Amino acid sequence: MYRRDASTVIFARLRAVRLSAVRPAACTGLSAVLLLAGCTTHPDAPHAASTPLRTLHREDMLWLERTSFGLDTDSVADYRRLGREKFLDRQLHPAQMTLPAPIAAQIAALQITPADPMQSIAAINAQNKVINAMPGGSDKEQARKVLNDQGNKLAYEAIRRDLLRAVYSPAQLQEQMIWFWLNHFSVFQYKANLRWLIGDYEERAIRPHVFGHFRDLVMATLQHPAMLQFLDNNQNAAGHINENYARELLELHTLGVGGGYSQQDVQELARVLTGVGINVGDAPHLKPELQRLYVRSGAFEFNPARHDFGAKTILGHPIRGQGFGEVEDAVKMIVSQPACARFIARELAIYFVADNPPPALVERVAQTFMRTDGDIAAVLHTLFMSPELDGSFGGKFKDPMRFVVSAVRFAYDGKPISNTHPMLNWLNGLGEAPYGRQTPDGYPMTELSWASAGQMSRRFEIARAIGAGNAALFDPEDGGAASTAGFPQLANRLYFEALEPSLAARTKTALDRANSQQEWNTFLLSSPEFNYE
Amino acid sequence: MNRRRMLKLGGAALVSAGISGRLYAAPGAGPRFLLVFLRGGYDSTNLLIPYSSSFYYEARPTIGIARPDPSSNSSALALDGDWALAPAVRDTIGAMYTQRQAAFVPFAGTDDLSRSHFETQDSIELGQPAAGTRNYRSGFLGRLSEILVGSSGINSSIAFTDALPLAFEGSATVPNLSLKNVGKPPFDERQARILSDMYAGHRLEAAVSNGLELRHEVAQEMADEMTEANRSAINTKGFELEAERMGRLMRDKYRLGFIDIGGWDTHVGEGAAQGPLATNLSSLGKGLQAFSSSLGAEWNNTVVVVLSEFGRTFRENGNRGTDHGHGTVYWVLGGSISGGRICGEQARVARGTLFQDRDFPVLNDYRAVLGGMFRSLWDLSPAQSSRIFPQSSSIDLKLV
């Protein structure tokens, strides 16, 4: 009762503020109380400032939204302190940025954190062997279930870690890029034993290279057992060609459809990739002349006995038979194609700027890619300091991941949640569960795919779940007693600073028609201004 | 029946719908089509049992289903001299077959030899030629939907799934809503109106108001369900309930529907006349029967195709289950189809006719089978039908 009474008071005050007839546009009501410093100086230029900003303009907020999974008080404070360019530099070099201690502790407690894929695969193989040798019956079923549950648990932990980082990491651009690259080099958790591997895939293949050179990212995914199994290259051997990965490496990972390669190039690349696979057992017995070409790193193996040493030509470039060096040379040559630079530039621009990004911007970003040998930090610098980005504000529809994470960031503003199951359920319901894309093309990044009738009403339901505070985000993970946390207070300082100034009249009318704080929260999270950035 | 005339009737319905302001225009008297996708590769050999083949009983010593017993109502149902229907669907699909409202197409499937669920489901849903680059933004139902919008002006397609399936990808926006759990709508009418008003004039205006209205419509169906259930004290559950809801929605508003059902990947302990597979088949049969009942008279204007990405190994494996195979059996159901037949190219069931000594060959390509059906259902031109299934020649099984 107390909680409800208190909120009613706040809500009533809020309405009173909103209904006050005369107020200056930038600093009014609650925000005037909370933002004294912000109201005392002349407006600064909206961007390109490297000195601390006193007043934040709407463009600053929208820019900040694009570089992050949504605003929270800390990111606004950082931006205010650093200005746009320094803020961006810090985001692009996040080594010193750390997670809040309670979140770091939650992640440190996960089972996946120290897991090693070689041991994981070996253990699953051993368990499967035992299960297969068991006589049919309930014991066997039970053993399978135990193994299966373990895989589900580890996959969930990987997703839990992703979500916690997405919500709470101050290195917001890094976390968005983790999502982007995981989606670009998409793997599906339910294929083979990937549920045991996706945590490591993110941690070792993607995360270290997220702002590095694109070539290193391609090579890291190419050698990871998750990708090798997802696209079947572990079955690709001389005389038993499997083109699956070779094709997607060209089509989805580097050059894009229409990137100038032919079916012949796919076949040749598949030959280059023969012998690239997985081994968690003993090294194979090799002839002495092949011994020196053998490569092994964890579960990754290049087995020269499975490799096709014949001459190959890809995109007109001869590849000389020399074992795994062929793969490195081929990847280096492919990612240095202008088609690759343009493809990656366009994908980034679709994700961060617009569904149909301006060609001039894509070309400039691609030029940076080519000039810097695919330096992702440099590429993103060009993108985020471009006038085209500023010109696109308010027009990009949030995909489900951005919607869910930004809502939780906005609603709870740094307060640590304990249970990520509701977030995963919402993402499942909206069709964008992490590691849940069956097809290797990753989730679409444009409005068309996420704003259908059914998806919009589902989104509003989730807005209500968050706005009404019955979301179980603060319940214990293990299903213990439910928490008594109330609904969030969305009419907060952040709202008045960041969202309220840009609300359309129709949205304000809707908010005014709310009968309770919970309903007000729901409408705000459902509004066009919250769902577009 | 004169289908062109029916399409015209469908067009007339659009005008009246505009006046009444309903969510989606009623599709009028035009034909309806539901695709049921069994994900996981169901064991078609234990659905349509080749009971005249002694090889079947050799190959499946523990999971083979006994020959039809004319004195028993719970044995397999003999459909002809060679094929029998699983006891699990005897009362449902078997009854439809007897009324010529069901037919089966054995040796059906794709030319995809990956035997991968993932790969083959995609290739079916996309419906594109095997050679060449896949376009993941274009599924065959999406292309059909575009053509139907073009001819009638009505977009009346729906996927009864949480996410839009690959099959419905395309330029026309197809709504999707799972009817599995449809509790009371989260928003009352006042709240729904406020939310819709907030998007008035916005490019998502239609999606927002349609989505909220669809939830309400479905909730109203639920309310009927509740009172009807109380009256007749029947408590329908699971797929049967879901399918009944689908039938109501398709009767009133939708022309083209899609639903997928998982749980068919029976590598271990699949059972025979009874067991996990039989349980799944039974639930599917009951669901499709409920679907047909809830369509009422419109069942005569409806065609349902049940398919799966592939069949399974002809021989049972060491775990009393079956592994990924190739050719499968498609079901075709409908109130006025020329059913009661086993259709398409067939081979004698024997060791020598197995594909790669492992599973059924594919003699009836799915694109040709479905393409032929669509052509005849909607009177499509050759150009339209090759837009749905490029580089595929359709075959007419004369079912619809």
Side-chain angles (χ1 to χ4, degrees):
Chain A
M1 275 318 285
Y2 169 76
R3 216 169 45 240
R4 179 171 300 173
D5 290 345
S7 78
T8 311
V9 171
I10 293 168
F11 181 67
R13 212 170 75 210
L14 170 72
R15 289 193 80 146
V17 169
R18 294 195 42 75
L19 294 170
S20 66
V22 184
R23 54 198 168 115
C27 306
T28 84
L30 291 178
S31 59
V33 179
L34 298 167
L35 296 175
L36 284 174
C39 297
T40 53
T41 50
H42 297 292
D44 294 302
H47 60 85
S50 54
T51 49
L53 299 170
R54 296 296 179 85
T55 302
L56 294 185
H57 295 260
R58 182 164 174 249
E59 289 72 22
D60 294 307
M61 293 297 185
L62 288 163
W63 186 88
L64 190 53
E65 276 201 345
R66 289 289 177 89
T67 61
S68 67
F69 270 119
L71 302 178
D72 68 357
T73 297
D74 286 351
S75 60
V76 174
D78 274 358
Y79 185 91
R80 187 190 300 284
R81 189 165 50 81
L82 296 168
R84 188 175 292 194
E85 188 131 32
K86 279 188 182 162
F87 181 90
L88 179 60
D89 282 343
R90 189 154 179 266
Q91 288 290 319
L92 291 172
H93 302 94
Q96 306 304 317
M97 298 173 106
T98 52
L99 284 167
I103 302 300
Q106 285 194 40
I107 290 174
L110 297 174
Q111 252 189 45
I112 41 160
T113 302
D116 172 88
M118 174 132 149
Q119 288 167 8
S120 304
I121 299 172
I124 304 161
N125 290 351
Q127 287 178 67
N128 268 323
K129 208 170 166 183
V130 171
I131 292 169
N132 288 336
M134 288 169 76
S138 61
D139 285 357
K140 185 172 191 162
E141 290 290 294
Q142 181 58 28
R144 266 192 209 288
K145 188 178 176 306
V146 167
L147 185 61
N148 204 36
D149 288 350
Q150 185 200 37
N152 288 340
K153 178 172 190 286
L154 292 174
Y156 171 69
E157 285 196 351
I159 292 168
R160 176 169 162 73
R161 185 174 61 185
D162 278 353
L163 293 175
L164 288 172
R165 283 169 169 163
V167 175
Y168 295 101
S169 173
Q172 281 285 296
L173 184 55
Q174 171 178 258
E175 298 311 316
Q176 277 201 302
M177 286 304 294
I178 294 281
W179 187 93
F180 177 87
W181 290 128
L182 276 173
N183 195 53
H184 185 84
F185 298 98
S186 185
V187 297
F188 178 56
Q189 62 161 310
Y190 292 107
K191 177 146 179 179
N193 53 25
L194 258 64
R195 283 172 296 164
W196 281 262
L197 301 177
I198 54 176
D200 187 75
Y201 181 64
E202 181 200 330
E203 208 63 8
R204 280 196 318 127
I206 304 289
R207 191 166 283 272
H209 307 292
V210 72
F211 293 130
H213 284 270
F214 181 68
R215 182 180 64 236
D216 297 334
L217 194 52
V218 174
M219 286 306 294
T221 55
L222 182 149
Q223 294 172 78
H224 199 277
M227 182 60 80
L228 288 168
Q229 292 182 94
F230 179 55
L231 291 176
D232 304 323
N233 206 74
N234 57 331
Q235 294 172 29
N236 183 24
H240 302 275
I241 294 289
N242 187 315
E243 294 177 356
N244 198 6
Y245 178 59
R247 179 183 305 281
E248 306 307 6
L249 183 55
L250 292 173
E251 178 183 323
L252 300 175
H253 297 171
T254 59
L255 299 180
V257 176
Y261 61 91
S262 65
Q263 172 61 26
Q264 180 69 19
D265 292 320
V266 171
Q267 289 166 357
E268 293 285 277
L269 182 57
R271 290 177 60 220
V272 168
L273 288 164
T274 47
V276 173
I278 297 172
N279 185 1
V280 295
D282 299 332
H285 294 290
L286 295 169
K287 295 176 197 160
E289 67 269 26
L290 292 181
Q291 202 66 253
R292 64 183 176 83
L293 294 171
Y294 182 73
V295 182
R296 180 84 177 260
S297 168
F300 167 76
E301 176 190 73
F302 174 76
N303 183 349
R306 289 165 59 83
H307 184 69
D308 176 344
F309 281 91
K312 298 124 189 156
T313 303
I314 299 174
L315 302 170
H317 297 257
I319 305 286
R320 313 230 178 272
Q322 51 180 315
F324 191 64
E326 289 175 37
V327 177
E328 290 168 324
D329 287 354
V331 166
K332 191 175 174 186
M333 183 272 292
I334 291 163
V335 302
S336 67
Q337 301 294 310
C340 179
R342 294 200 176 95
F343 177 59
I344 300 302
R346 189 173 148 77
E347 293 286 298
L348 284 167
I350 289 172
Y351 185 57
F352 285 111
V353 182
D355 291 1
N356 286 304
L361 171 67
V362 173
E363 190 53 36
R364 269 204 329 283
V365 173
Q367 289 299 331
T368 304
F369 188 105
M370 287 185 256
R371 194 178 63 244
T372 61
D373 191 22
D375 180 333
I376 298 160
V379 164
L380 289 173
H381 190 272
T382 301
L383 189 127
F384 279 105
M385 295 309 284
S386 72
E388 287 92 341
L389 184 78
D390 282 35
S392 71
F393 288 151
K396 181 75 186 164
F397 187 71
K398 292 180 183 176
D399 67 296
M401 178 72 178
R402 277 178 167 145
F403 169 71
V404 167
V405 176
S406 68
V408 173
R409 277 172 67 78
F410 190 74
Y412 293 105
D413 201 17
K415 180 180 172 187
I417 61 169
S418 49
N419 193 333
T420 43
H421 280 103
M423 292 181 73
L424 176 56
N425 291 343
W426 298 329
L427 290 169
N428 263 322
L430 291 170
E432 202 183 27
Y435 309 102
R437 181 74 173 177
Q438 280 201 10
T439 49
D441 57 343
Y443 290 111
M445 301 185 291
T446 55
E447 178 176 328
L448 189 66
S449 302
W450 302 117
S452 73
Q455 287 161 317
M456 288 309 289
S457 71
R458 182 70 64 95
R459 187 174 282 229
F460 297 159
E461 288 176 48
I462 292 164
R464 196 184 78 142
I466 299 170
N470 52 8
L473 289 167
F474 297 91
D475 290 355
E477 269 280 329
D478 59 10
S483 81
T484 53
F487 52 83
Q489 188 51 253
L490 263 63
N492 52 26
R493 167 186 171 152
L494 196 56
Y495 162 73
F496 283 103
E497 194 171 19
L499 257 181
E500 202 259 3
S502 62
L503 295 185
R506 284 186 191 285
T507 302
K508 290 182 179 178
T509 306
L511 294 174
D512 281 343
R513 287 161 78 185
N515 280 344
S516 66
Q517 182 64 52
Q518 292 96 313
E519 206 175 273
W520 191 93
N521 291 346
T522 304
F523 294 158
L524 183 70
L525 296 178
S526 303
S527 68
E529 291 84 351
F530 191 81
N531 284 277
Y532 284 83
E533 60 178 30
Chain B
M1 63 182 99
N2 183 336
R3 294 206 173 84
R4 286 195 195 283
R5 191 173 134 66
M6 283 174 176
L7 288 177
K8 280 183 191 157
L9 284 171
L14 173 68
V15 179
S16 62
I19 295 162
S20 71
R22 298 204 62 127
L23 167 53
Y24 290 100
R32 287 163 178 74
F33 180 84
L34 175 73
L35 185 75
V36 180
F37 202 124
L38 308 183
R39 295 194 192 273
Y42 90 104
D43 183 17
S44 54
T45 313
N46 266 8
L47 177 275
L48 193 64
I49 303 142
Y51 75 92
S52 66
S53 160
S54 58
F55 178 51
Y56 170 81
Y57 291 98
E58 282 166 35
R60 297 188 168 212
T62 70
I63 65 166
I65 295 177
R67 290 189 173 82
D69 173 1
S71 69
S72 162
N73 284 335
S74 59
S75 80
L77 175 71
L79 302 180
D80 63 15
D82 293 317
W83 302 101
L85 192 62
V89 293
R90 183 184 171 116
D91 294 343
T92 52
I93 308 302
M96 287 186 189
Y97 188 91
T98 311
Q99 296 165 53
R100 300 169 61 83
Q101 296 189 356
F104 298 98
V105 187
F107 306 102
T110 74
D111 52 8
D112 189 314
L113 288 179
S114 64
R115 291 194 180 86
S116 143
H117 299 298
F118 157 79
E119 187 74 13
T120 319
Q121 287 177 21
D122 283 1
S123 68
I124 290 177
E125 289 190 66
L126 296 172
Q128 296 162 15
T133 309
R134 283 180 170 184
N135 176 4
Y136 281 100
R137 297 283 180 270
S138 180
F140 78 86
L141 286 179
R143 297 191 291 276
L144 173 60
S145 196
E146 284 160 23
I147 288 169
L148 296 183
V149 171
S151 68
S152 69
I154 301 170
N155 182 7
S156 55
S157 303
I158 185 165
F160 301 105
T161 51
D162 282 323
L164 199 66
L166 215 47
F168 258 134
E169 287 282 347
S171 61
T173 307
V174 172
N176 59 289
L177 182 70
S178 165
L179 302 182
K180 233 173 262 160
N181 301 301
V182 282
K184 74 177 176 62
F187 302 107
D188 62 28
E189 278 191 42
R190 183 189 64 87
Q191 292 169 322
R193 194 169 311 117
I194 293 173
L195 287 165
S196 293
D197 287 352
M198 193 157 62
Y199 278 85
H202 192 277
R203 66 171 177 259
L204 294 185
E205 177 178 7
V208 165
S209 58
N210 288 353
L212 290 164
E213 217 177 303
L214 181 58
R215 280 297 269 112
H216 262 264
E217 268 179 22
V218 169
Q220 276 170 0
E221 303 275 358
M222 277 288 284
D224 294 351
E225 256 171 33
M226 293 301 286
T227 49
E228 280 171 28
N230 289 341
R231 219 169 26 233
S232 58
I234 291 169
N235 188 11
T236 327
K237 278 190 206 160
F239 181 62
E240 198 175 346
L241 177 59
E242 195 181 346
E244 204 224 331
R245 291 168 179 161
M246 285 159 43
R248 289 175 182 222
L249 279 181
M250 285 195 72
R251 178 190 65 201
D252 296 340
K253 303 206 160 59
Y254 298 95
R255 184 192 291 267
L256 202 56
F258 176 97
I259 177 77
D260 52 15
I261 305 166
W264 303 96
D265 198 15
T266 50
H267 287 283
V268 180
E270 74 172 55
Q274 289 170 338
L277 176 66
T279 304
N280 272 354
L281 284 173
S282 166
S283 150
L284 175 61
K286 284 179 187 158
L288 292 172
Q289 195 176 46
F291 177 77
S292 73
S293 311
S294 62
L295 273 161
E298 285 304 316
W299 175 238
N300 289 329
N301 221 351
T302 302
V303 174
V304 177
V305 168
V306 179
L307 54 74
S308 194
E309 63 264 36
F310 43 58
R312 305 189 72 85
T313 48
F314 192 80
R315 298 177 184 88
E316 68 177 68
N317 63 21
N319 299 313
R320 299 187 179 195
T322 46
D323 297 319
H324 301 182
H326 190 44
T328 178
V329 177
Y330 289 2
W331 320 7
V332 183
L333 315 172
S336 60
I337 68 163
S338 310
R341 296 189 290 138
I342 313 291
C343 314
E345 291 289 317
Q346 294 182 37
R348 200 171 64 84
V349 177
R351 172 169 292 156
T353 57
L354 289 188
F355 179 68
Q356 297 177 350
D357 193 31
R358 178 184 166 98
D359 34 45
F360 275 140
V362 170
L363 306 175
N364 301 295
D365 178 75
Y366 82 106
R367 302 200 315 145
V369 169
L370 289 176
M373 215 174 283
F374 293 160
R375 259 184 98 159
S376 137
L377 260 180
W378 281 286
D379 241 349
L380 302 180
S381 69
Q384 286 173 319
S385 115
S386 69
R387 201 179 134 200
I388 301 170
F389 291 118
Q391 298 167 40
S392 164
S393 52
S394 56
I395 50 173
D396 188 0
L397 297 177
K398 307 222 182 295
L399 280 165
V400 298

